[in-house]
Amino acid sequence: MSHVVERLPLPVSSLGSDQVLTVHRFGETGARPKVYIQAAIHAGEIPALLVAHHVLALLEDADAKGAIKGEVIVVPAANPIGLAQRMQRRHLGRYDLDSGVNFNRGFPDVTDTVEAAVAGELGDDPVRNVAAIRRAAIDAVAATPAAQPSPMLKKTLLGLAIDADIVLDLHCASNALLHLFINAASWPDAADLHADLGSEATLLEEETGSGVAFDHAVANFWRQLAAHHPDRPVPLACLSATVELRGFADVDDETAAGDAANLIRFLQRRSVVSGDPGPLPEPQCDPTPLAGVGFVMAPATGVVSFKTGLGAHVREGDVVAEIVDPMAEAASAARHAVTSPTDGLVYELADNHYVVEGQCICQVAGAEPLADQRENLLLD
Ligand SMILES: [Zn+2]
């Protein structure tokens, strides 16, 4: 049995209270592949919390049988700060109420520090290069200044994950199909993850223009180093994915247990956990570029009535919703039609029906990058 539970104290911004991060470790420290899984860095994304609970149960079973071959770290509730944020009987977990910063942005980018540390060290052996880069990345995170609770939380999470082979960041969206965000450089390596999880929309991202999210912080420095040293073998040594476990309301044990079983099957396929994963399931879709996502913005404030549903394939110009202004002087003038900017799959819809002008109400995964795309490819 290798299972160890650690409780790491976090700094707090009020007197008389404590916060801890709970970290589960399985397998031998330093064993490979190393897998890091965290849930709900946006604290209110409850499907992720329940899936992490089921993953832990399956890992405990596997551990009891001696089946953990690599090293697995699970942080089943990655954001104790956000879990404590309530206002007027509502939980608010996406932004730090103290700073206003999105909990999944502003992670330290170690690229420059690692670059400076390894520039003279990289040689012709990819294995040695990977080891040197990982050592430098661990040091870079450790040297990142952080004192306030949120930056300290981000530094702690990144320190646990920065040298992993596989990082899975579990989230959920508003009202959505199961979908993935994956670094474009990890495709087609990630095709097994895409199929094992039954992803219904897999979005391949390059530069997002949206600040450093966790999935980017753990993987993008590999891509940058490889680009800066084309004469040296630098593989993309971390497969990192943001896993969007449908919508906020999709919380039930049966679904979560199925997702957890799919995750463990993927870990078996990657020889992290022993056991036969069986044949790879048929993928549910082809991946599409993040730059091909059509964001449908509300043109007015009012009540949204959707004319499409999750999983629908729409064409550019199709009406996907109407915004109804109940204060219009004539009912005949109360409706504004909203159309899709691209051909593609409707994979996310707003989960509230009173929407404000400029709010994204629908996301459509298109196969081609859009010419007039927004600068920020992720919604804040
Ligand atoms: Zn999230």
Side-chain angles (χ1 to χ4, degrees), residues 315-332:
R315 305 298 299 263
E316 181 180 349
D318 283 356
V319 173
V320 295
E322 289 178 345
I323 308 292
V324 179
D325 176 2
M327 298 176 79
E329 290 190 10
S332 58

Side-chain angles (χ1 to χ4, degrees), residues 41-42 45 94 104 170-173 242 244:
I41 182 65
H42 289 140
E45 296 177 352
R94 188 172 180 85
N104 192 28
L170 309 184
H171 290 243
C172 79
T242 292
E244 300 281 355

Side-chain angles (χ1 to χ4, degrees), residues 186-267:
S186 287
W187 194 265
D189 177 45
D192 52 353
L193 178 69
H194 165 79
D196 269 323
L197 295 190
S199 174
E200 293 173 275
T202 289
L203 305 165
L204 301 181
E205 60 187 27
E206 296 188 16
E207 294 301 329
T208 62
S210 306
V212 181
F214 189 75
D215 64 349
H216 201 73
V218 293
N220 204 49
F221 66 96
W222 291 104
R223 192 168 73 91
Q224 298 273 15
L225 283 162
H228 298 166
H229 300 278
D231 53 331
R232 302 290 184 212
V234 177
L236 184 71
C238 177
L239 165 55
S240 158
T242 292
V243 182
E244 300 281 355
L245 295 159
R246 307 177 192 80
F248 284 110
D250 296 316
V251 183
D252 66 82
D253 270 320
E254 195 181 340
T255 304
D259 290 335
N262 289 345
L263 280 166
I264 298 297
R265 185 175 57 193
F266 167 69
L267 297 188

